[in-house]
């Protein structure tokens, strides 16, 4: 029913100059590609022209910057505010903004789950940029009475995933992915179809006005479950020879990486591998009960099937795992 509701709508999609847009041409003829950058307000005129009474899905953001930590704030904070200013100017009907789990940081213990009422506790500069983005959005919405919903997504996975997720598959295949500590720390993950369901539900349901929702798979997974399930899928579903060797690292490995990450970022630098290692022993888990009760959210894909679809997509496009 969600797809049917939007099946006749034309979609404008903002892409950077160097984006490969061939996917959209294969997928549908209803997408009009607009070239621009949310950090350059003057480049967004074509995107917003004729957009009155439309719905804006703001999915752009920087997770792992290539130009230092300032890029977090330029894109995630300033870029978002640019979109809000133009949305107000062009009378956009509703705005759905994708945020992150990082503005909430890490769970205080393994039984704890983040809810919509959890306090802000941003993790590093990425988390701080999302915190500033969310609070800035809320102030702007209140000031101008805009209909805005914030969707908090967790660890993304699924078809069309970024290259770092494919590297994750390779490391598991080769027995090189590290388990830090006992591996029983919990992570919420957002399979792409589940996330899209949450976005569309928020777009069509008036109750979402001014709200924020956690959108993820039905339940969190332990790091051991994530690694072992991915290994099972590679081996059992696709015939890969998987080295069932687990690289065990003590908790201090992530703690040292955290201190290095903090030091690098305080100097304005960013290292993706150090940052990821710093999180590997952390609990970052949420509850999706609010989205289920208010929006009718019902995540239909769980970890094993999601990983199977992810790996199949990689193989279908000729990507080496």
């Amino acid at each position: 029913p969600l797809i049917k509701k939007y099946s006749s709508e034309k979609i404008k999609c903002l892409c950077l100059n160097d984006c490969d847009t061939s996917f959209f041409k294969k997928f549908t003829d209803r997408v009009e590609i607009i070239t621009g950058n949310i950090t350059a307000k003057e480049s967004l005129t074509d995107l917003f022209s004729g957009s009155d009474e439309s719905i804006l899905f703001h999915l752009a953001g920087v997770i792992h910057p290539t130009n230092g930590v300032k890029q977090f704030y330029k894109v995630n904070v300033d870029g978002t505010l640019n979109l809000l200013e133009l949305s107000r100017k062009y009378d956009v009907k509703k705005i759905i903004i994708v945020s992150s789990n990082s503005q909430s940081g890490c769970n205080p213990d393994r039984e704890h789950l983040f809810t919509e009422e959890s306090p802000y506790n941003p993790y590093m500069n990425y988390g701080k940029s999302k915190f500033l983005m969310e609070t800035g959005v809320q102030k702007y919405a209140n000031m101008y009475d805009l209909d805005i919903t914030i969707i908090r997504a967790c660890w993304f996975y699924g078809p069309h995933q970024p290259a770092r997720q494919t590297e994750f598959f390779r490391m598991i295949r080769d027995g090189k992915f590290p388990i830090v500590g006992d591996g029983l720390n919990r992570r919420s993950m957002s399979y792409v179809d589940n996330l899209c369901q949450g976005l569309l539900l928020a777009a069509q349901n008036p109750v979402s006005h001014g709200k924020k929702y956690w959108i993820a798979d039905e339940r969190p997974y332990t790091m051991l479950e994530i690694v072992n399930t991915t290994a099972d899928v590679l081996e059992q579903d696709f015939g890969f020879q998987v080295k069932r060797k687990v690289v065990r690292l003590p908790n201090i490995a992530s703690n040292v990486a955290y201190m290095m990450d903090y030091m690098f970022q305080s100097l304005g630098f960013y290292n993706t591998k150090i940052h990821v290692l710093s999180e590997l022993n952390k609990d970052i888990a949420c509850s999706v009960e609010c989205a289920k009760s208010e929006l009718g959210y019902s995540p239909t894909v769980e970890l094993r099937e999601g990983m199977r679809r992810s790996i199949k997509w990689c193989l279908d496009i000729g990507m080496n795992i």
Side-chain angles (χ1 to χ4, degrees):
L2 288 174
I3 295 173
K4 184 177 180 180
K5 177 178 175 62
Y6 296 103
S7 63
S8 62
E9 301 294 331
K10 292 291 290 185
I11 301 168
K12 286 185 177 182
C13 182
L14 182 72
C15 296
L16 295 172
N17 284 321
D18 57 353
C19 272
D20 178 7
T21 60
S22 59
F23 159 75
F24 297 105
K25 295 174 183 176
K26 295 176 184 176
F27 181 67
T28 178
D29 60 358
R30 295 190 296 110
V31 174
E32 178 186 355
I33 302 298
I34 306 293
T35 300
N37 189 317
I38 64 172
T39 65
K41 197 187 303 184
E42 65 279 3
S43 74
L44 303 177
T45 303
D46 287 345
L47 176 68
F48 281 92
S49 178
S51 63
D52 57 300
E53 293 300 303
S54 63
I55 300 173
L56 172 67
F57 291 90
H58 173 28
L59 315 177
V62 168
I63 300 175
H64 298 292
T66 55
N67 297 314
V69 298
K70 288 183 179 180
Q71 194 176 12
F72 284 134
Y73 302 98
K74 185 176 181 180
V75 176
N76 298 345
V77 183
D78 298 343
T80 298
L81 292 178
N82 285 340
L83 292 173
L84 294 188
E85 288 181 22
L86 288 166
S87 294
R88 184 170 69 92
K89 177 180 178 181
Y90 285 90
D91 296 320
V92 170
K93 179 181 179 181
K94 187 173 183 66
I95 306 165
I96 311 294
I97 298 177
V98 174
S99 186
S100 164
N101 54 254
S102 284
Q103 82 291 318
S104 296
C106 305
N107 303 93
D109 59 68
R110 287 188 176 169
E111 300 306 313
H112 180 270
L113 294 176
F114 291 125
T115 69
E116 286 69 15
E117 305 305 317
S118 297
Y120 286 113
N121 183 30
Y123 187 87
M124 297 288 184
N125 280 286
Y126 174 62
K128 187 177 178 182
S129 74
K130 288 297 188 177
F131 159 71
L132 292 174
M133 183 271 283
E134 284 199 14
T135 53
V137 163
Q138 289 163 354
K139 288 178 182 177
Y140 201 95
N142 292 336
M143 187 180 302
Y144 296 107
D145 192 28
L146 298 180
D147 185 356
I148 300 178
T149 303
I150 292 173
I151 297 296
R152 290 173 171 174
C154 300
W155 178 351
F156 296 95
Y157 71 115
H160 306 282
Q161 65 201 13
R164 63 181 180 274
Q165 184 72 13
T166 308
E167 180 62 24
F168 170 70
F169 295 154
R170 295 191 192 104
M171 292 179 73
I172 292 176
R173 180 201 63 192
D174 296 337
K176 294 180 179 180
F177 189 84
I179 293 294
V180 182
D182 60 12
L184 298 180
N185 54 302
R186 299 195 298 170
R187 296 293 299 265
S188 284
M189 301 182 70
S190 301
Y191 180 71
V192 63
D193 286 19
N194 294 337
L195 178 56
C196 288
Q197 180 198 152
L199 290 167
L200 291 172
L201 285 168
Q204 73 168 2
N205 197 325
V207 75
S208 69
H209 184 126
K211 301 284 189 68
K212 52 182 178 283
Y213 297 97
W214 289 92
I215 296 293
D217 294 1
E218 179 74 33
R219 63 178 178 85
Y221 313 108
T222 67
M223 282 303 302
L224 271 176
E225 183 180 7
I226 294 168
V227 171
N228 290 335
T229 298
T230 304
D232 287 344
V233 173
L234 285 166
E235 191 174 64
Q236 298 168 12
D237 293 40
F238 297 98
F240 283 92
Q241 290 187 338
V242 178
K243 293 183 180 179
R244 293 285 185 161
K245 180 181 72 171
V246 177
V247 178
R248 293 278 186 174
L249 297 177
N251 276 308
I252 195 172
S254 280
N255 297 339
V256 170
Y258 176 89
M259 290 186 289
M260 293 175 64
D261 191 21
Y262 182 86
M263 181 174 62
F264 282 146
Q265 292 200 35
S266 63
L267 295 172
F269 303 112
Y270 185 88
N271 183 288
T272 300
K273 290 182 178 180
I274 290 174
H275 180 79
V276 171
L277 178 58
S278 77
E279 292 185 327
L280 285 184
N281 68 339
K282 306 294 192 294
D283 290 275
I284 307 173
C286 70
S287 166
V288 296
E289 289 305 312
C290 184
K292 289 170 68 176
S293 63
E294 292 192 5
L295 300 179
Y297 176 61
S298 179
T300 57
V301 181
E302 46 72 47
L303 181 65
R304 196 185 198 289
E305 175 61 16
M307 285 299 178
R308 187 193 69 78
R309 295 183 190 182
S310 301
I311 294 168
K312 183 178 185 302
W313 174 78
C314 291
L315 297 176
D316 287 345
I317 66 168
M319 189 175 292
N320 180 39
I321 296 179

